[in-house]
């Protein structure tokens, strides 16, 4: 999709990215700062995910991908992994309700085979029961690693070549994309990582080739409130938007947070539009 095709909301003049990818980070540090166990940070983080799904759907974002558990996260303590699995179980059920009431389609990427049977069933149910929803697609990356995804894709591709279903000479970038977990999902336009780290941690290595990156020092459980202050601090641009959209000024800061990120993205797009046009930015 070209920049010119992106949805520009009349109300705000914001360019809504089609696909936002999120590395939610900092749950543990958020809890530690408050003298709480890491699990408390994960619980609060889940609340933020829920709110973000609703915000993103309301804003007209078509795809929201959230990195929930990496292939490397199994190396955490048995207690923490166990607590994360329990939370996941709970949210699989809760998400079904949220997805239904927001017309959201849910899809999981990553290698689900490593999870317990009941979790795999929960994932299958969630995908099956929301597959006809026509609103936003919420993609959850669990037991996901970019290298693992590419390795699994190569395994399937070589097997298909061996059995004559695929001709190695005709493998293109599009063919590779179609073997990834994200086949049928456009590449992210915007990547957000919270909590100050500026690395990919094995997230969507192939798909993020051309995305804009946005890093914020705010811990994930605080994402909604503090990002507002952070993005708006000392920058005239925010004031402009607030004046234009008076209605949001004293309203729900959660809603503002996503809007301001989109504003940041809009401004970047405006600056980069000539460059992108020149190099012919490619979207799947
Ligand atoms: C992100 O928060 C959640 C998961 C990776 C499951 P962290 O648990 O990584 O929190 P920090 O980075 O230790 O603060
Ligand atoms: C990245 O966060 C993975 C997820 C958000 C699920 P981590 O906190 O696990 O990443 P590193 O280990 O700091 O790179
Ligand atoms: Mg972390």
């Amino acid at each position: 999709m070209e920049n010119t095709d992106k949805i520009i909301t009349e109300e705000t003049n914001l360019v809504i990215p089609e696909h936002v990818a999120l590395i939610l980070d900092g749950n543990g540090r958020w809890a530690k700062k408050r003298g709480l166990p890491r699990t408390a940070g994960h619980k609060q983080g889940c609340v933020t995910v829920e709110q973000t799904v609703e915000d993103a759907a309301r804003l007209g974002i078509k795809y929201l991908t959230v990195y929930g558990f990496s292939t490397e996260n199994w190396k955490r303590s048995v207690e923490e992994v166990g607590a994360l699995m329990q939370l996941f179980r709970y949210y699989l059920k809760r998400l079904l309700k949220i997805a239904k009431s927001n017309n959201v389609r849910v899809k999981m990427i990553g290698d689900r085979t490593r999870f317990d049977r009941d979790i795999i069933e929960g994932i299958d149910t969630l995908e099956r029961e929301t597959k006809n929803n026509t609103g936003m697609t919420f993609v959850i990356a669990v037991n996901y690693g970019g290298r693992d995804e590419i390795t699994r894709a190569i395994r399937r591709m070589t097997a298909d070549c061996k059995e004559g279903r695929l001709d190695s000479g005709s493998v293109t970038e599009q063919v590779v994309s179609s073997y990834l977990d994200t086949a049928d999902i456009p590449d992210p336009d915007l990547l957000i990582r919270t909590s100050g780290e500026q690395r990919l941690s094995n997230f969507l290595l192939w798909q993020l080739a051309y995305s804009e990156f946005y890093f914020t020092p705010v811990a994930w459980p605080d994402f909604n409130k503090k990002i507002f202050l952070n993005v708006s601090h000392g920058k005239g641009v925010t004031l402009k938007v607030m004046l234009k959209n008076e209605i949001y000024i004293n309203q729900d800061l959660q809603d503002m947070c996503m809007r301001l990120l989109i504003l940041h993205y809009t401004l970047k797009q405006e600056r980069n539009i000539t460059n992108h046009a020149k190099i012919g930015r490619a979207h799947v």
Side-chain angles (χ1 to χ4, degrees):
M1 186 193 266
E2 290 296 327
N3 290 306
T4 44
D5 296 335
K6 290 184 192 304
I7 305 164
I8 298 176
T9 61
E10 247 179 65
E11 179 200 22
T12 58
N13 288 333
L14 297 181
V15 180
I16 306 294
E18 185 182 29
H19 184 174
V20 176
L22 256 166
I23 302 178
L24 49 94
D25 198 13
N27 289 351
R29 279 164 280 175
W30 181 91
K32 194 174 173 206
K33 228 169 118 184
R34 288 160 180 76
L36 299 167
R38 292 178 61 83
T39 331
H42 295 316
K43 273 192 192 144
Q44 193 54 41
C46 287
V47 175
T48 309
V49 171
E50 235 181 275
Q51 289 164 350
T52 306
V53 168
E54 291 186 338
D55 285 351
R58 265 207 311 272
L59 271 168
I61 289 166
K62 292 270 177 285
Y63 298 87
L64 176 73
T65 300
V66 167
Y67 202 9
F69 191 85
S70 73
T71 44
E72 289 70 35
N73 285 154
W74 296 105
K75 293 184 200 130
R76 295 191 179 192
S77 73
V78 181
E79 294 74 32
E80 184 168 353
V81 171
L84 284 167
M85 291 305 134
Q86 274 310 102
L87 263 180
F88 191 32
R89 275 190 178 89
Y90 172 72
Y91 269 91
L92 279 171
K93 293 203 184 85
R94 201 169 154 77
L95 261 176
L96 195 53
K97 282 193 203 123
I98 296 165
K100 281 183 174 165
S101 54
N102 289 280
N103 192 24
V104 164
R105 181 168 72 118
V106 185
K107 192 181 154 49
M108 301 270 170
I109 58 169
D111 181 5
R112 67 186 68 177
T113 59
R114 190 161 169 189
F115 293 117
D116 288 346
R117 187 76 246 147
D118 66 310
I119 292 186
I120 299 174
E121 277 163 15
I123 295 173
D124 292 345
T125 307
L126 189 55
E127 285 185 334
R128 194 178 55 246
E129 297 208 6
T130 62
K131 76 172 194 297
N132 294 324
N133 287 353
T134 52
M136 186 179 80
T137 300
F138 177 39
V139 184
I140 310 175
V142 278
N143 190 24
Y144 176 88
R147 289 182 176 179
D148 177 66
E149 178 191 36
I150 293 168
T151 308
R152 285 187 284 107
I154 291 173
R155 247 184 246 139
R156 280 178 29 244
M157 284 172 77
T158 45
D160 280 356
C161 284
K162 234 191 204 160
E163 286 162 33
R165 287 191 294 265
L166 180 68
D167 165 25
S168 64
S170 53
V171 172
T172 58
E173 289 184 11
Q174 276 71 23
V175 171
V176 176
S177 294
S178 76
Y179 275 83
L180 297 176
D181 297 350
T182 50
D184 305 326
I185 298 173
D187 289 344
D189 303 288
L190 174 66
L191 169 81
I192 300 163
R193 181 167 186 156
T194 59
S195 210
E197 295 344 306
Q198 302 198 356
R199 57 177 174 270
L200 284 181
S201 300
N202 206 6
F203 191 39
L204 300 175
L205 298 180
W206 172 277
Q207 298 87 340
L208 290 169
Y210 231 93
S211 315
E212 299 287 351
F213 286 11
Y214 183 87
F215 299 104
T216 168
V218 173
W220 176 250
D222 277 339
F223 180 70
N224 291 311
K225 281 177 230 131
K226 295 229 183 99
I227 193 102
F228 167 73
L229 301 171
N230 194 48
V231 178
S232 64
H233 186 68
K235 302 239 162 68
V237 284
T238 304
L239 187 63
K240 204 168 96 195
V241 167
M242 285 167 80
L243 289 173
K244 258 207 267 178
N245 302 288
E246 233 173 310
I247 187 167
Y248 297 112
I249 295 176
N250 295 318
Q251 279 206 356
D252 195 354
L253 293 189
Q254 264 146 242
D255 194 51
M256 276 309 286
C257 140
M258 262 303 198
R259 278 171 199 277
L260 288 173
L261 270 176
I262 304 306
L263 167 70
H264 172 88
Y265 175 77
T266 305
L267 295 172
K268 266 198 145 163
Q269 291 298 304
E270 280 168 7
R271 262 202 317 274
N272 291 344
I273 204 153
T274 359
N275 281 344
H276 285 161
K278 264 189 220 145
I279 58 172
R281 182 179 184 187
H283 281 267
V284 179

